[in-house]
Amino acid sequence: MKGFINLLKPEGMSSAYAVGAVKRKFNMPCGHMGTLDPMASGVLPVGISKASRLFQYLLDKEKTYVAEFKFGFTTDTLDVTGKTEAQTTVIPTAKEIKSVLGNFVGDIAQVPPKYSAKCIDGKRGYQLARKGVDFTLDAKTVTILGIELLSQVDENTFTFKIDCKGGTYIRSLARDIALSVGSLGVMSKLERTASGIFNLANGVGVEEFKDSDNPEKYIIPAEEVVSFEKLILTNERATKILNGVFENYGYADGIYRVYNQNEFWGIGESKQGVLKIVAYVR
């Protein structure tokens, strides 16, 4: 069994609990791509067994979020679950917000939240923050493909649609947009609606999955989640590669979806004509 379950995690549930539902159903090790905080909901891809090895080739895929940002205060976690650190009476209008959104599209420098999984001297940021340790995080480059202001929920709350690459912190985006209009802001709600080929349409709710008598019907085949060029090996070449005999077959340098006839083997990388399997899921 190899493939993915696209779980639709509800708000209030941990990602670990959601992944555990798949582990228990199939009695196999599983891994997930892109943790969702308990307050967040939406797409949570779970790799079954060896399919998890493909995650490193999906990390740069495009993601889409629908997020609520609340203006007028900030917290230590940059979301509404944290402790309020500062307040302001400055609340931007929709027009003011729209005027600055273009500044956040493209490759931008972003400082991650202190309450994050970023490592500082071997410790997670959230571990240090909970202990009251004072530390700073360096800015990193993230890619925002687009930001759209969808609606105004109330006087100080707005809904946004955000398309971005992996590694983007939506909580940091709330902070930075607010600062750019002279205000303070936090994330008050978040839904991930797409991550690569995984979206709301091909997902399944956690409870629906847990209650299913036929959970296999929700499996998305491993070969469908990666979009590299397809490379079909002969049985002779496949056997040699599997046994560690690497010869120059003249393959162009690059990353491939590798098949032994009709069977998907995983991801292969060719260097100077020599192909090696770098993520074996067979």
Side-chain angles (χ1 to χ4, degrees), residues 2 33 38 42 79 93 116 136 142 156 169 197 207 225 234 242 267 274 276:
K2 55 193 176 186
M33 181 180 69
D79 61 41
T93 64
S116 68
T136 58
V142 300
N156 68 333
Y169 285 97
I197 68 103
E207 294 305 319
V225 308
T234 63
L242 185 63
I267 302 299
V274 177
K276 294 183 178 181

Side-chain angles (χ1 to χ4, degrees), residues 29-100:
C30 298
H32 67 283
M33 181 180 69
T35 297
L36 284 174
D37 292 337
M39 72 169 289
S41 64
V43 169
L44 182 68
V46 178
I48 305 168
S49 190
K50 294 179 182 178
S52 296
R53 297 175 179 177
L54 299 183
F55 279 145
Q56 63 178 307
Y57 298 96
L58 302 175
L59 293 178
D60 197 41
K61 295 294 184 182
E62 297 179 10
K63 299 181 181 182
T64 300
Y65 295 91
V66 174
E68 274 189 8
F69 296 164
K70 191 176 290 289
F71 294 84
F73 65 101
T74 188
T75 69
D76 55 355
T77 60
L78 300 184
D79 61 41
V80 292
T81 69
K83 179 182 178 181
T84 299
E85 291 189 323
Q87 295 178 292
T88 179
T89 57
V90 178
I91 304 297
T93 64
K95 182 177 180 180
E96 289 172 330
I97 293 172
K98 288 179 180 179
S99 72
V100 302

Side-chain angles (χ1 to χ4, degrees), residues 67 69-71 92-94 96-105 108 110 144 146-149 158 160-162 169-186:
F69 296 164
K70 191 176 290 289
F71 294 84
T93 64
E96 289 172 330
I97 293 172
K98 288 179 180 179
S99 72
V100 302
L101 292 184
N103 298 332
F104 296 92
V105 176
I108 65 171
Q110 184 183 75
I144 310 293
I147 308 176
E148 180 184 357
L149 177 59
F158 298 81
F160 300 80
K161 176 177 177 287
I162 302 158
Y169 285 97
I170 306 301
R171 288 176 289 154
S172 292
L173 198 56
R175 173 199 61 204
D176 297 341
I177 289 175
L179 289 174
S180 73
V181 292
S183 184
L184 298 171
V186 297

Side-chain angles (χ1 to χ4, degrees), residues 251-267:
Y251 298 124
D253 286 3
I255 306 294
Y256 297 89
R257 283 182 298 146
V258 179
Y259 292 75
N260 177 16
Q261 302 302 307
N262 294 321
E263 184 181 20
F264 178 59
W265 267 22
I267 302 299

Side-chain angles (χ1 to χ4, degrees), residues 119-138:
C119 279
I120 303 94
D121 297 328
K123 297 289 186 179
R124 300 290 188 182
Y126 63 81
Q127 294 174 326
L128 297 176
R130 287 171 182 167
K131 293 179 179 179
V133 177
D134 187 27
F135 64 95
T136 58
L137 291 170
D138 294 332

